[in-house]
Amino acid sequence: MTTTVGHEPQTMAWTRKDLLGLRELSAEDIRLILQTAESFREISLRPIKKVPALRGKTVVNLFFEPSTRTRTSFELAAKRLSADIVNITPQGSSLSKGETVLDTVRNLEALKVDALVIRHAAAGVPHLIAQRATSAVINAGDGAHEHPTQALLDLFTIQEKRGRIEGLRVSIIGDIAHSRVARSNIWGLIKLGAHVTVCGPPTLMPAAIDQLGVRVTHDVSTAIRDADVLMLLRIQHERQEAMLVPSLREYRLRYGIDQDRLTHAKPDVLIMHPGPVNRGVELDSRVADGPFSVILDQVTNGLAVRMAALYLVCGTRKEEDLHGDTPH
Ligand code: CP
């Protein structure tokens, strides 16, 4: 299938039912999503923020973990493409009465939905559902495994701010061991030609991480020096069985990014964070809200990227659908 997305005809093709992780995507797949997102970006700047591209399609947000950015931006993305969207949480559904996840999905499919956006605390749940479901599945974060649309919006933001990804030096600092954002970014950044450094305490660094093609350091000064992008991560308390750093104060002293540390960074360094930020731990407020921070640009770009993800997996691809101004 060849798409003609946006202002320039694309020769690349989206052939996948699902979007589960960046590990299995090719560099060409990633570029197609980023280019599709680019063509959707301006829709959110229009007075009427809606096109009929997914009119008649039904999307279900199935979130088993809390979320602000991902859930909301998938909901807005579906609405801006004129899809119908339903939000389901365990507390408000028959999951709370003991129904299994797969039975829930079977029942949703009986209602003829087109796409399922799934976040779950256990790695692999979206993959399991994707194997059983005929509808498209988008992974909105599975345990410490992958968070593909977060990494795609991060790539989109770097591309937007720097004009390229290839050859850039990106340092990911924080709780690498429990971070699905780190894993998806490592896959994506390396596929697009960036040099990736990961930095954090030894207790928060997964074994054999260097086999993914990254440089590993436990010294934050090394990670900051020469980096074009500093991507900060919070400590994922919810995924740790024991406290793996002596204290948050100790962590902040060794790894937190404040104004003093930033003086050793490149003068045009980008400060990124997937959110939610633990202010005063991994990131000082003056840095989070400072001139180098693109944290809210990441959130804005997440909408265009999630529109692209829904559009591609739902399989609608007519040029006039993208650029029609009239909601139907
Ligand atoms: N970055 C991210 O996934 O944020 P939410 O948990 O708020 O969706």
Side-chain angles (χ1 to χ4, degrees), residues 96-328:
S96 65
K97 301 181 215 164
E99 188 166 59
T100 67
V101 174
L102 285 176
D103 275 339
T104 299
V105 167
R106 282 190 196 104
N107 280 272
L108 294 172
E109 291 217 290
L111 298 170
K112 308 301 176 199
V113 304
D114 297 288
L116 299 161
V117 179
I118 296 168
R119 170 171 289 191
H120 202 282
V125 168
H127 306 68
L128 178 70
I129 292 172
Q131 284 167 10
R132 312 283 172 93
T134 53
S135 41
V137 175
I138 298 179
N139 180 2
D142 63 319
H145 180 220
E146 282 232 35
H147 192 348
T149 57
Q150 178 67 47
L152 288 162
L153 74 87
D154 293 338
L155 294 168
F156 188 92
T157 304
I158 296 170
Q159 173 78 38
E160 174 190 55
K161 302 294 177 190
R162 286 289 169 269
R164 68 189 171 100
I165 292 167
E166 188 168 12
L168 292 183
R169 297 186 182 283
V170 180
S171 289
I172 306 175
I173 303 171
D175 179 0
I176 309 295
H178 300 93
S179 175
R180 54 198 177 203
V181 175
R183 268 177 196 74
S184 288
N185 264 293
I186 289 168
W187 291 115
L189 286 161
I190 289 176
K191 283 175 193 211
L192 296 193
H195 306 287
V196 181
T197 295
V198 292
C199 174
T203 48
L204 297 180
M205 196 63 71
I209 184 79
D210 52 334
Q211 290 176 16
L212 298 185
V214 299
R215 178 177 69 149
V216 181
T217 179
H218 305 299
D219 172 31
V220 77
S221 304
T222 304
I224 291 173
R225 199 182 314 127
D226 297 333
D228 298 291
V229 178
L230 296 179
M231 194 177 284
L232 288 315
L233 303 173
R234 74 185 171 92
I235 297 179
Q236 312 269 330
H237 299 290
E238 70 274 25
R239 292 188 207 124
Q240 295 181 17
E241 282 160 17
M243 186 69 177
L244 295 172
V245 289
S247 70
L248 292 182
R249 183 173 171 278
E250 171 88 5
Y251 180 84
R252 176 174 60 80
L253 288 173
R254 286 187 180 273
Y255 294 99
I257 303 296
D258 58 13
Q259 296 276 53
D260 285 346
R261 286 221 159 101
L262 208 56
T263 59
H264 301 289
K266 282 178 123 174
D268 59 349
V269 70
L270 293 184
I271 301 292
M272 302 181 72
H273 194 305
V277 175
N278 286 164
R279 289 173 180 264
V281 183
E282 69 270 15
L283 201 51
D284 186 88
S285 273
R286 282 172 298 172
V287 180
D289 302 329
F292 305 108
S293 171
V294 295
I295 295 171
L296 291 179
D297 300 274
Q298 290 172 259
V299 178
T300 301
N301 290 335
L303 182 49
V305 163
R306 287 171 178 132
M307 288 168 80
L310 287 172
Y311 177 77
L312 290 169
V313 301
C314 286
T316 303
R317 49 197 172 279
K318 282 195 290 198
E319 179 79 4
E320 62 270 25
D321 283 348
L322 278 171
H323 297 294
D325 283 325
T326 314
H328 291 246

